Amino acid sequence: MFPERVDRMLLDAVTNPHEYVAGTWMHSLLQADKAYRVFLTECANAPKKCSLAPFVGPKVTADDLQEAIDAGFQQLLESSTVQDGTLSYGLLKFLLYRRLYDPNTWSSLADDLVSLLNGTDSTAMTSTPQTDAARPSPYSLGQTAFEGIRCSDTVWRASSAEEILDIVKEQSTISSFSDVFYDQSWRCAAWKMDAKE
C-alpha cells in the first residue's frame, strides 16, 4: 500500500497462486528431492558429524546413503502397519520430507534414520506415534484448519476417484515424495464447502 514506508519485509511462504486455486499443488515438490540430495551429500561429506554415514559404511557416497534409506523404506512399505504404535511407511516418509525443511536438525534426523534402519526404534522419526486406537480430536482445535482453508479456496472438485486419476498419475512423476504428499490435495477434490469471499 505504501511501498516507500517499507524498510524491510519478510516473505513467509512462496506458492504459485494459480496452482493454489487449482488445488492440485502439482509443482509443490519440485525442489524436495534436491533438498533430500543436499542432506545426503552433506552427510556423506561429514561422516564424523552424521551418524548415518558410518552406519552405511566407509567412504560412503550420497548414492550409498539413499540406497540404504530406500531399502529401509521399502521394507517398511512391505510390512506397513499402524498397529501397536508401529509407524507406517507413509507417515515415516512424510516425516522425513517435513524434517528436510530444517537443516539445523539434520544431525538428529540422521540419528533417527539410523535407529529406524537398525530396527531399534520404530518411533524414531516422531515423538508422537499414531495408532488405530487414537481418539479423534474434539471439533475446532485446528486439526483440519489447513484443509478447511485450502480446500475451500480451491476450485478442484470431483465426484468420483476416477475423475482425479490423470492428475494423480501426473503428480506421481514429480518427486520421490509424491506417494506421501499429494494425498493432501486429493482431499480437496471431495471438499463440499467453498470460501465465502
Side-chain angles (χ1 to χ4, degrees):
M1 292 173 57
F2 302 100
E4 68 278 359
R5 295 184 183 178
V6 176
D7 185 34
R8 293 181 181 91
M9 180 175 74
L10 173 68
L11 183 61
D12 183 35
V14 178
T15 189
N16 180 327
H18 303 290
E19 207 171 78
Y20 177 80
V21 171
T24 61
W25 287 29
M26 195 63 72
H27 297 101
S28 295
L29 291 180
L30 282 178
Q31 302 298 317
D33 289 309
K34 287 182 182 180
Y36 185 39
R37 193 64 182 185
V38 169
F39 164 69
L40 297 173
T41 301
E42 291 302 313
C43 185
N45 290 342
K48 291 181 180 178
K49 294 183 178 181
C50 180
S51 59
L52 187 59
F55 173 78
V56 174
K59 298 190 179 187
V60 70
T61 66
D63 289 334
D64 297 332
L65 293 171
Q66 183 156 5
E67 193 175 303
I69 294 169
D70 288 349
F73 275 115
Q74 184 61 35
Q75 187 175 5
L76 276 172
L77 180 60
E78 291 168 2
S79 64
S80 188
T81 180
V82 192
Q83 297 171 0
D84 302 321
T86 304
L87 295 169
S88 71
Y89 159 85
L91 179 58
L92 288 172
K93 191 171 177 187
F94 181 74
L95 291 171
L96 167 62
Y97 159 74
R98 294 294 302 158
R99 290 183 66 183
L100 291 173
Y101 272 90
D102 190 359
N104 291 326
T105 65
W106 283 1
S107 178
S108 66
L109 172 59
D111 294 342
D112 291 345
L113 285 168
V114 168
S115 295
L116 184 69
L117 295 173
N118 267 335
T120 56
D121 187 1
S122 64
T123 62
M125 298 290 285
T126 179
S127 59
T128 55
Q130 304 294 315
T131 66
D132 285 337
R135 273 194 318 184
S137 300
Y139 177 74
S140 91
L141 289 180
Q143 302 287 344
T144 57
F146 186 66
E147 286 85 3
I149 294 167
R150 183 173 47 91
C151 294
S152 295
D153 286 344
T154 186
V155 295
W156 188 25
R157 299 289 185 265
S159 56
S160 70
E162 290 76 23
E163 290 182 36
I164 67 169
L165 283 181
D166 289 339
I167 291 170
V168 171
K169 286 177 186 173
E170 186 177 347
Q171 287 173 332
S172 71
T173 66
I174 303 289
S175 167
S176 65
F177 293 101
S178 295
D179 58 344
V180 296
F181 177 80
Y182 283 117
D183 65 318
Q184 297 175 63
S185 70
W186 305 339
R187 297 172 199 158
C188 292
W191 198 256
K192 303 294 183 201
M193 295 176 278
D194 294 324
K196 296 296 180 190
E197 292 95 36

